[in-house]
Amino acid sequence: MDDFEKAVYSVRFLSADAVEKAKSGHPGTPMALAGIAVDIFTRHLRYDPKEPGWPNRDRFVLSCGHASMLLYSMLHLAGYDLSLDELKNFRQWGSKTPGHPEHGLAPGVETTTGPLGQGVGNAVGFALAGKLAGARLNESGSSVIDYRVFALASDGDLMEGVASEASSIAGHLGLDNLIVVYDDNKITIDGSTNLAFSEDVGKRYEAYGWFVQHVDGLKPDEVRAALDKAVANKGKPSLIVAKTIIGIGLPTRAGTSKAHGMAATQPEIDGAKNAAGWTLEPFYVAPEARALFERRAAENRKVRDAWEKLVAGLPADRADAYKKLTTRFVPDNVFDELLAVAKGLKPDATRNLASTIEQKVAALVPSLVGGAADLNESTKTDVKDSASVKRGEFGGKNLHFGIREHGMAAINNGLALSGFFIPLGSSFLIFTDYCRPSIRLSALMEQQVLHVFTHDSVFLGEDGPTHQPIEQLASLRLIPNLDVVRPADAMECAAAWTHALTRRHGPTLIALSRQKVPALERAADFDPKVMFDGAYVLADAKDPEITIVATGSEVHVAVDAKKKLEAKGKRVRVVSAPCWEAFLRKPKDAQRAVLGKGAKIVTVEAGRTLGWSGALGGDGLHIGIDRFGASAPWEKIAEELGFTGDAVAARISAEL
Amino acid sequence: MDDFEKAVYSVRFLSADAVEKAKSGHPGTPMALAGIAVDIFTRHLRYDPKEPGWPNRDRFVLSCGHASMLLYSMLHLAGYDLSLDELKNFRQWGSKTPGHPEHGLAPGVETTTGPLGQGVGNAVGFALAGKLAGARLNESGSSVIDYRVFALASDGDLMEGVASEASSIAGHLGLDNLIVVYDDNKITIDGSTNLAFSEDVGKRYEAYGWFVQHVDGLKPDEVRAALDKAVANKGKPSLIVAKTIIGIGLPTRAGTSKAHGMAATQPEIDGAKNAAGWTLEPFYVAPEARALFERRAAENRKVRDAWEKLVAGLPADRADAYKKLTTRFVPDNVFDELLAVAKGLKPDATRNLASTIEQKVAALVPSLVGGAADLNESTKTDVKDSASVKRGEFGGKNLHFGIREHGMAAINNGLALSGFFIPLGSSFLIFTDYCRPSIRLSALMEQQVLHVFTHDSVFLGEDGPTHQPIEQLASLRLIPNLDVVRPADAMECAAAWTHALTRRHGPTLIALSRQKVPALERAADFDPKVMFDGAYVLADAKDPEITIVATGSEVHVAVDAKKKLEAKGKRVRVVSAPCWEAFLRKPKDAQRAVLGKGAKIVTVEAGRTLGWSGALGGDGLHIGIDRFGASAPWEKIAEELGFTGDAVAARISAEL
């Protein structure tokens, strides 16, 4: 056995041993892919375990996150701060080695994977980020950013639509810094892939415009040759279809679904170790394996040193661009800048107001890139003075995702994780349903991703119930660590953008109206900062008996209702509540002060009342929409569904 | 101009006129696809406008639902009950002609489309339903069910991952009764498809195992030849890539994105009409067009008559099978039958309890078919004494969707819409996020689809936060017309299955535990029917001062907490609440009686508290999980997150 083989067996058995100790997990795929992973890590991957955030490191993505022990084993051998004890603590409370890799726990875990297909999308995002950053930072052949992305994907990853969408985009853009190895093992949880998966994956990827190779994934020579070709290939992303045997070496379980999602059993592991002439000692790492990785570390240190010199020698303008991009610079006075834009705007749909403000954001924040899932004409999120990103032309800020919301959001997670960009994705609010798994992951990974969704209520009008969000605002507010902001006018749009840009450890979703909304009057002494409280008194009354809380395009309806009620002698406060999450983070006392002690609460929002109200009752009158929408001009819908100042005032008079 | 051409122009201008009158909509695609649609309707499609539910009718699916006026124009000409006045009322409140086609409004609209890709998934479902029904009802060459499915799809449909997933399944199963025409017009809302879509779609579909043809979609001869070949082709689904020009005939907008999503303008329409030598009169239908469709109607009447004779002559057993399948028979005593099974079961995970009960369901309900997105080993939803559905073998009940949750749910919508089946789809609860758009459409279309999702809380354990639902129960409860049932034991599993089988006008989602749950004690006089109230008193106390409401695997925790609190002299009622929606449909008085007047409410569920509580406060103590989960054995998670009887009792003592 040479050092390479010893490394491979070390990884295989580390993985199997850890799963066995946890009595749960996936041993078979790490065993099958160990050789490919060792080849990538020891012959190709540029990394520095002491500096996991090195901007130009190659990215390694384990899209088949259930094979997490493969990644943990590799990171341990590669010298990252992940001890053998952590490997022994696999899948336990408080460990750095959870069942699926979680970004932010073990260093070197580039992204959180497990929900299948997402890692492929993230890998496309990483690759795109490398191209975008390179176009901004490289000059005359220099290689400030020229990293490559290596991803391992399973059958499941490539069955998922999100991977199809992202792969089509990668082919379209010719992301030749992306290499995906597909573990073609013909086995899934339920048995043979023949049950449901007989397509020609390689041909499909050729159709996407990828460079496709087929190898025996258990023959090191074939794997090496294919990886070398893929790295050298220009103009296309690479797919290497690698035939493997799941649980290779296990005496009876190899090549069966029993090697997939459960501990292999000690006799099986011992049998495999005996057959390989390996020690039965659990968690054994061959010294030759460590030596192999140390040699790679020495090579990588040279690469890193050369790179550091390159960056240290950058001319001032490039150095500034580098610093701004790698810190995702946002100026301290961004709110003042955006407010100044907002103050010059006439009443309009909030999508248009936000769009104008975004132009300023793009000028202030070099890290902002993004686009729409083919609805830019409606979401208005393009940066007007910047180019579209195309194959070979990565200098622009505008991305075109096609009609692929899920791929968009998964790619944006990769763009954010790259460390260079604050990505923006946009579509209609209803289509958050199409990309919800990726939105959730942006929240779980605490990534600064901007989800900008327009047409945020039934008041989009004629497109009808298939396009009209009813439950989407409420359901998005349920995702932990996602802030949902629904601004009511230009000033709130400026606050929403500022909120999103300064919120560094989580995604923000901005919901915007299709329809025009009137200007809101504000008191002369209005302090704009109060908007960051999430809910604030917009229009007050002395000793209010009723407080109407509203969001977005319903705030002006609340203001109108207040007028109608005041004409009848009622004392009414209006609270604009653009962001629940910010409001609910305030102390209870502060919340109560805004809502008005003793005032009866009325909420007005064109969406589900559940969430505003509790399921089992509670105080307050909640005016919303608890049915599917309807196709008609929006003013007609507002009238029919009771979203006018008159109708709201009448309900309050009748029901409070 | 021959009759065919007159029909084509009638359709083109009906569509353009209606969009123009509404001043909103999509004129260009109906204009481009009119010729293809007329050819399908007048040379291939078997239908009876007087009997839109004829079981063996061919299905026509407009996946690009934004081109709705094409469908409405066709249905009008084909003689369905859809008047010219309805066409003139396009996109207006209360019309049968909303912006996107909605199943249940105009007769002949087979499915609700608009959210892109869904129609392709539905079409695969229709085709699969035809194969499944044929295998059950046809004998010795008879053709009780041998309908074909014709679908029109746009660029956007084929970019969406859901269509990729469903198409791969269709190829795998060799659904040769499915013909999809792809409108390859190179234009999307944002401009040229070159912005984001340069893949070789035909090659991709060949990779899926489809029979692919390329035609000029504006040349009737080419379209005819291709459709004839597709209809005759055996063993594979067909894709016809039809190059078209969006808005064909419009003087300046043809072939541009301006012909896509806005009214064409009167001068453009007049220009097109003049160039075609057509009258400028709006909503004009050429008599020759009507004559053409009437000739087709006469042909179809013969087909229908022959079919009626065939069905009338079925032998008794086949006639019975036919009746049961077309009525989706569920025996009246189904609850008693399932309760009898439940009573024999020992405590177990609710997924296992539900699985055993499902075996009985499968024996009682011939329409039940379904399966998992490659998690059958975990969701346990296979019917044990039935075969897997495979290419050429459609007699079984078990479907294998692969790791394609979205495709699964879209296909199941088609299976339900077919009228023959009560389809079941299953995966882990977290992956409802992957198929949420299709779940929503099952609710919007009021289809009886069973969504059976297991691993319904953090107590799935080691797989960790990527797989642990936190917000999913709450967010699913937000979808109008979806009933979410989370049973606590075998009896509640029997009730959940009964609820799902007898709820004819909407989907039911059953959420099941991975972990074992203890048996619940019930009073000797317990009336099982009370479970259908959605929430009911499981364990009472005299004059309760505290009512603990819990669901699913947390009910036994509530029961345990009750014991602990009673030891301290508290009077505690436990309410099991398997289905909010059913409970909230009860009169308020009945709800209050269950919750206990005067009792303080405590809710216990391993998920978000928002929804149980209102955002702005309200009564009650809500014990839940408002953070992401963690990877560890489930008992450890329960202890750490306070989901033990002791911990719940302690919080109640401390906080109430």
Side-chain angles (χ1 to χ4, degrees):
Chain A
M1 248 189 227
D2 62 14
D3 292 359
F4 174 82
E5 283 175 286
K6 291 212 168 173
V8 172
Y9 278 107
S10 295
V11 170
R12 281 183 181 159
F13 293 127
L14 272 181
S15 300
D17 287 341
V19 172
E20 197 57 31
K21 182 159 189 295
K23 296 287 174 214
S24 99
H26 298 72
T29 299
M31 296 182 81
L33 297 182
I36 295 168
V38 169
D39 198 67
I40 291 172
F41 266 74
T42 61
R43 291 204 316 119
H44 291 290
L45 210 68
R46 300 176 191 142
Y47 58 94
D48 181 349
K50 306 298 167 225
E51 185 54 54
W54 174 30
N56 199 35
R57 72 193 179 281
D58 288 338
R59 269 67 171 178
F60 179 80
V61 175
L62 183 75
S63 190
C64 41
H66 54 272
S68 53
M69 266 315 303
L70 174 64
L71 180 56
Y72 300 145
S73 301
M74 298 307 302
L75 295 176
H76 171 73
L77 283 171
Y80 286 88
D81 181 16
L82 192 67
S83 66
L84 265 186
D85 281 343
E86 283 289 350
L87 268 56
K88 292 175 185 170
N89 213 13
F90 181 50
R91 292 186 155 229
Q92 303 308 306
W93 183 269
S95 78
K96 287 185 186 173
T97 50
H100 294 84
E102 292 175 39
H103 178 69
L105 290 181
V109 173
E110 298 282 1
T111 179
T112 297
T113 51
L116 290 169
Q118 299 291 336
V120 173
N122 299 162
V124 173
F126 278 123
L128 177 56
K131 292 289 187 185
L132 295 170
R136 285 152 175 76
L137 301 175
N138 300 343
E139 203 168 21
S140 56
S142 82
S143 299
V144 179
I145 300 300
D146 64 351
Y147 66 78
R148 292 88 45 91
V149 183
F150 296 84
L152 303 187
S154 60
D155 297 303
D157 287 301
L158 300 196
M159 286 193 231
E160 290 285 2
V162 59
S164 301
E165 293 178 19
S167 297
S168 181
I169 294 172
H172 175 78
L173 292 174
L175 301 179
D176 54 15
N177 54 344
L178 172 62
I179 297 167
V180 176
V181 180
Y182 160 42
D183 175 26
D184 185 16
N185 65 19
K186 303 288 180 204
I187 289 295
T188 65
I189 288 179
D190 283 356
S192 163
T193 54
N194 286 339
L195 284 170
F197 194 47
S198 54
E199 62 172 66
D200 182 339
V201 174
K203 184 170 177 177
R204 173 156 67 95
Y205 271 76
E206 285 174 3
Y208 292 142
W210 288 49
F211 172 54
V212 176
Q213 302 176 77
H214 294 264
V215 300
D216 182 330
L218 294 167
K219 291 192 176 157
D221 289 351
E222 288 193 26
V223 170
R224 273 174 207 189
L227 280 168
D228 286 347
K229 264 198 203 171
V231 166
N233 188 65
K234 293 294 160 211
K236 291 180 172 187
S238 269
L239 182 77
I240 299 173
V241 180
K243 286 210 186 307
T244 72
I245 296 171
I246 195 167
I248 177 79
L250 297 174
T252 73
R253 296 192 168 190
T256 77
S257 60
K258 280 197 170 174
H260 180 83
M262 58 185 98
T265 76
Q266 200 61 52
E268 287 281 314
I269 294 173
D270 289 353
K273 286 180 176 175
N274 283 331
W278 203 253
T279 171
L280 296 187
E281 180 193 338
F283 296 97
Y284 172 76
V285 177
E288 296 87 346
R290 295 209 186 276
L292 177 68
F293 277 83
E294 273 159 24
R295 289 197 294 278
R296 180 64 188 169
E299 292 165 7
N300 275 335
R301 263 191 300 277
K302 284 183 204 157
V303 173
R304 174 84 198 272
D305 287 347
W307 181 88
E308 290 290 351
K309 273 182 205 148
L310 177 70
V311 170
L314 285 176
D317 60 336
R318 291 276 147 168
D320 182 60
Y322 174 83
K323 192 178 167 193
K324 282 189 167 154
L325 217 54
T326 51
T327 58
R328 289 185 272 208
F329 171 78
V330 174
D332 289 339
N333 69 340
V334 63
F335 188 38
D336 293 338
E337 295 266 12
L338 302 187
L339 268 183
V341 177
K343 281 175 182 161
L345 296 177
K346 291 190 183 143
D348 203 340
T350 56
R351 62 174 167 153
N352 291 325
L353 301 170
S355 171
T356 306
I357 293 165
E358 185 194 333
Q359 306 309 313
K360 186 71 182 178
V361 174
L364 296 171
V365 180
S367 287
L368 185 82
V369 294
D374 193 58
L375 281 173
N376 180 56
E377 290 299 310
S378 298
T379 64
K380 319 260 184 170
T381 41
D382 62 331
V383 177
K384 295 197 194 339
D385 71 352
S386 185
S388 290
V389 169
K390 292 175 191 164
R391 170 187 293 261
E393 299 173 28
F394 293 98
K397 298 174 192 285
N398 293 315
L399 304 174
H400 296 272
F401 294 102
I403 303 163
R404 307 184 186 96
E405 300 80 6
H406 204 176
M408 169 177 78
I411 288 172
N412 277 352
N413 287 349
L415 286 172
L417 287 159
S418 78
F420 301 107
F421 296 103
I422 302 176
L424 175 158
S426 78
S427 180
F428 291 169
L429 186 63
I430 190 80
F431 298 129
T432 53
D433 279 3
Y434 270 69
C435 49
R436 197 172 163 88
S438 302
I439 295 176
R440 183 181 208 257
L441 284 165
S442 68
L444 177 59
M445 293 192 282
E446 302 185 358
Q447 291 302 301
Q448 188 176 16
V449 178
L450 312 189
H451 306 286
V452 179
F453 285 78
T454 68
H455 295 56
D456 68 351
S457 76
V458 291
F459 303 131
L460 63 83
E462 291 91 341
D463 274 350
T466 54
H467 285 54
Q468 289 166 337
I470 297 292
E471 71 277 22
Q472 279 66 28
L473 283 170
S475 73
L476 290 162
R477 288 175 182 138
L478 289 166
I479 299 177
N481 196 36
L482 173 68
D483 278 10
V484 177
V485 187
R486 188 171 185 240
D489 69 351
M491 285 187 79
E492 286 194 13
C493 284
W497 266 109
T498 305
H499 181 113
L501 291 169
T502 55
R503 182 166 194 260
R504 296 301 201 165
H505 297 290
T508 301
L509 185 140
I510 303 178
L512 300 165
S513 77
R514 173 182 188 241
Q515 83 278 19
K516 184 175 168 177
V517 291
L520 298 175
E521 283 177 34
R522 294 169 191 277
D525 63 347
F526 177 72
D527 175 5
K529 285 198 198 69
V530 77
M531 292 189 285
F532 298 115
D533 291 347
Y536 64 93
V537 179
L538 176 74
D540 212 356
K542 199 177 170 188
D543 188 20
E545 56 194 317
I546 296 168
T547 295
I548 310 180
V549 183
T551 76
S553 62
E554 284 73 77
V555 173
H556 77 89
V557 177
V559 171
D560 197 27
K562 169 182 159 80
K563 285 179 196 151
K564 304 281 152 67
L565 290 163
E566 282 176 344
K568 293 187 179 174
K570 298 280 188 186
R571 303 184 308 279
V572 180
R573 169 180 289 184
V574 171
V575 167
S576 181
C579 179
W580 277 24
E581 295 77 14
F583 186 59
L584 297 177
R585 284 194 288 262
K586 306 282 291 180
K588 282 275 169 205
D589 277 358
Q591 292 180 30
R592 254 177 247 122
V594 169
L595 296 176
K597 280 176 197 162
K600 288 180 180 167
I601 303 292
V602 178
T603 63
V604 184
E605 185 174 73
R608 290 275 340 225
T609 54
L610 192 63
W612 287 104
S613 69
L616 307 182
D619 290 339
L621 169 62
H622 304 285
I623 299 177
I625 304 174
D626 290 309
R627 47 158 279 182
F628 288 111
S631 171
W634 78 265
E635 300 89 340
K636 175 71 176 170
I637 295 171
E639 189 190 309
E640 290 284 346
L641 299 184
F643 281 86
T644 63
D646 283 330
V648 168
R651 277 196 65 182
I652 291 173
S653 295
E655 297 182 38
L656 271 198
Chain B
M1 247 189 226
D2 62 15
D3 292 0
F4 174 82
E5 283 176 286
K6 291 213 168 172
V8 172
Y9 278 106
S10 295
V11 170
R12 282 184 181 157
F13 294 127
L14 273 181
S15 301
D17 287 342
V19 173
E20 196 59 29
K21 183 161 189 293
K23 296 286 175 216
S24 98
H26 298 73
T29 298
M31 297 183 80
L33 297 183
I36 295 167
V38 170
D39 198 69
I40 291 171
F41 267 74
T42 61
R43 291 201 318 117
H44 291 290
L45 210 66
R46 301 176 190 142
Y47 58 94
D48 181 349
K50 306 300 168 221
E51 185 54 53
W54 174 28
N56 200 35
R57 72 194 180 279
D58 288 340
R59 269 68 171 179
F60 179 80
V61 174
L62 183 74
S63 190
C64 41
H66 54 273
S68 54
M69 266 313 303
L70 174 64
L71 179 56
Y72 302 145
S73 301
M74 298 307 302
L75 294 176
H76 172 72
L77 284 169
Y80 286 87
D81 182 15
L82 192 68
S83 67
L84 264 187
D85 282 343
E86 283 289 351
L87 269 55
K88 292 175 185 169
N89 213 13
F90 181 50
R91 291 187 154 229
Q92 303 309 305
W93 183 269
S95 79
K96 286 186 187 170
T97 50
H100 294 84
E102 292 175 40
H103 178 70
L105 291 182
V109 173
E110 298 283 2
T111 179
T112 297
T113 51
L116 290 169
Q118 299 291 335
V120 173
N122 300 161
V124 174
F126 277 124
L128 176 56
K131 293 289 187 186
L132 295 171
R136 285 153 176 74
L137 302 175
N138 301 343
E139 202 167 23
S140 57
S142 82
S143 300
V144 180
I145 300 300
D146 65 351
Y147 66 78
R148 292 87 47 90
V149 183
F150 296 84
L152 303 186
S154 61
D155 297 302
D157 286 302
L158 299 196
M159 286 192 233
E160 290 286 2
V162 60
S164 300
E165 293 177 18
S167 297
S168 181
I169 294 171
H172 174 78
L173 293 174
L175 302 178
D176 54 15
N177 55 344
L178 173 62
I179 297 167
V180 176
V181 180
Y182 160 43
D183 176 24
D184 184 17
N185 66 18
K186 304 288 178 204
I187 288 295
T188 65
I189 288 179
D190 283 356
S192 163
T193 53
N194 287 340
L195 284 171
F197 195 47
S198 54
E199 62 171 65
D200 183 338
V201 174
K203 184 171 178 177
R204 173 155 66 95
Y205 271 77
E206 285 174 2
Y208 291 142
W210 288 48
F211 172 54
V212 176
Q213 300 177 78
H214 295 264
V215 300
D216 182 331
L218 295 167
K219 292 193 175 155
D221 289 351
E222 287 193 26
V223 170
R224 274 174 207 187
L227 280 168
D228 287 348
K229 263 198 203 168
V231 166
N233 187 65
K234 293 295 162 212
K236 291 180 173 188
S238 269
L239 182 77
I240 299 174
V241 180
K243 287 212 185 304
T244 72
I245 296 170
I246 195 167
I248 177 79
L250 297 174
T252 73
R253 296 193 169 190
T256 77
S257 59
K258 281 196 169 175
H260 180 86
M262 59 185 98
T265 77
Q266 201 60 53
E268 287 281 313
I269 294 173
D270 289 353
K273 287 179 175 174
N274 283 331
W278 203 254
T279 173
L280 296 187
E281 180 192 339
F283 295 96
Y284 172 77
V285 177
E288 296 86 345
R290 294 208 185 276
L292 177 67
F293 277 83
E294 273 159 24
R295 289 197 294 279
R296 180 64 188 168
E299 292 166 7
N300 274 334
R301 263 192 300 276
K302 284 183 203 156
V303 172
R304 173 84 198 272
D305 288 347
W307 181 87
E308 290 290 351
K309 273 182 206 150
L310 176 70
V311 170
L314 284 176
D317 60 336
R318 291 275 147 167
D320 181 61
Y322 174 83
K323 192 178 166 194
K324 282 190 168 154
L325 217 54
T326 51
T327 58
R328 288 184 272 206
F329 171 78
V330 174
D332 289 339
N333 68 340
V334 63
F335 188 38
D336 294 338
E337 294 266 13
L338 302 187
L339 269 182
V341 176
K343 281 174 182 165
L345 296 176
K346 290 191 182 141
D348 203 341
T350 56
R351 63 176 167 150
N352 291 326
L353 301 170
S355 170
T356 305
I357 293 165
E358 185 194 334
Q359 306 309 313
K360 187 70 181 180
V361 174
L364 296 171
V365 180
S367 287
L368 184 82
V369 294
D374 192 57
L375 281 173
N376 179 57
E377 291 298 309
S378 298
T379 65
K380 320 259 183 169
T381 42
D382 62 332
V383 177
K384 295 196 193 340
D385 71 352
S386 185
S388 290
V389 169
K390 294 176 189 162
R391 169 188 293 261
E393 299 174 28
F394 294 98
K397 298 173 191 284
N398 294 315
L399 304 174
H400 296 272
F401 294 102
I403 302 162
R404 308 183 185 96
E405 300 81 5
H406 204 175
M408 169 178 78
I411 288 172
N412 277 352
N413 287 349
L415 286 171
L417 288 159
S418 78
F420 300 107
F421 296 104
I422 301 176
L424 175 158
S426 78
S427 179
F428 291 168
L429 187 64
I430 191 80
F431 298 129
T432 54
D433 280 4
Y434 269 69
C435 50
R436 197 171 163 90
S438 301
I439 295 176
R440 183 180 208 257
L441 283 165
S442 69
L444 177 59
M445 294 192 282
E446 303 185 358
Q447 290 303 301
Q448 188 176 14
V449 178
L450 312 190
H451 305 287
V452 179
F453 285 78
T454 67
H455 295 55
D456 69 350
S457 76
V458 290
F459 304 132
L460 62 84
E462 291 91 341
D463 274 350
T466 54
H467 285 55
Q468 290 167 337
I470 296 293
E471 71 277 22
Q472 279 64 28
L473 284 171
S475 72
L476 289 161
R477 288 175 182 136
L478 288 166
I479 299 177
N481 196 37
L482 174 67
D483 278 11
V484 177
V485 187
R486 187 170 187 241
D489 69 351
M491 285 188 81
E492 286 194 13
C493 284
W497 266 109
T498 305
H499 181 113
L501 291 169
T502 55
R503 182 167 194 260
R504 295 300 202 167
H505 297 290
T508 301
L509 185 140
I510 303 178
L512 300 166
S513 75
R514 173 181 187 242
Q515 82 278 21
K516 184 174 167 177
V517 291
L520 298 176
E521 282 177 38
R522 293 170 192 276
D525 63 347
F526 177 72
D527 175 6
K529 285 199 197 69
V530 77
M531 294 189 284
F532 298 115
D533 291 347
Y536 64 92
V537 179
L538 176 75
D540 212 356
K542 201 179 170 186
D543 188 21
E545 56 193 320
I546 296 167
T547 296
I548 309 180
V549 183
T551 78
S553 62
E554 284 73 77
V555 173
H556 76 89
V557 177
V559 171
D560 197 28
K562 170 182 159 79
K563 284 178 197 153
K564 303 281 153 65
L565 290 164
E566 283 177 342
K568 292 186 180 178
K570 298 280 187 187
R571 302 183 308 281
V572 181
R573 169 181 288 184
V574 172
V575 167
S576 180
C579 179
W580 278 23
E581 295 78 14
F583 186 60
L584 297 176
R585 285 194 287 265
K586 307 283 291 179
K588 282 275 171 204
D589 277 357
Q591 293 179 29
R592 253 177 248 123
V594 169
L595 296 175
K597 282 175 196 163
K600 289 181 179 167
I601 304 291
V602 178
T603 64
V604 184
E605 185 175 73
R608 289 269 346 220
T609 54
L610 191 63
W612 288 104
S613 67
L616 306 182
D619 290 339
L621 169 63
H622 304 286
I623 298 177
I625 303 174
D626 290 310
R627 48 160 278 184
F628 288 112
S631 171
W634 78 266
E635 299 89 341
K636 175 71 174 171
I637 294 171
E639 188 190 310
E640 291 283 345
L641 298 184
F643 281 86
T644 63
D646 283 329
V648 168
R651 276 197 66 182
I652 291 173
S653 295
E655 297 182 39
L656 271 199

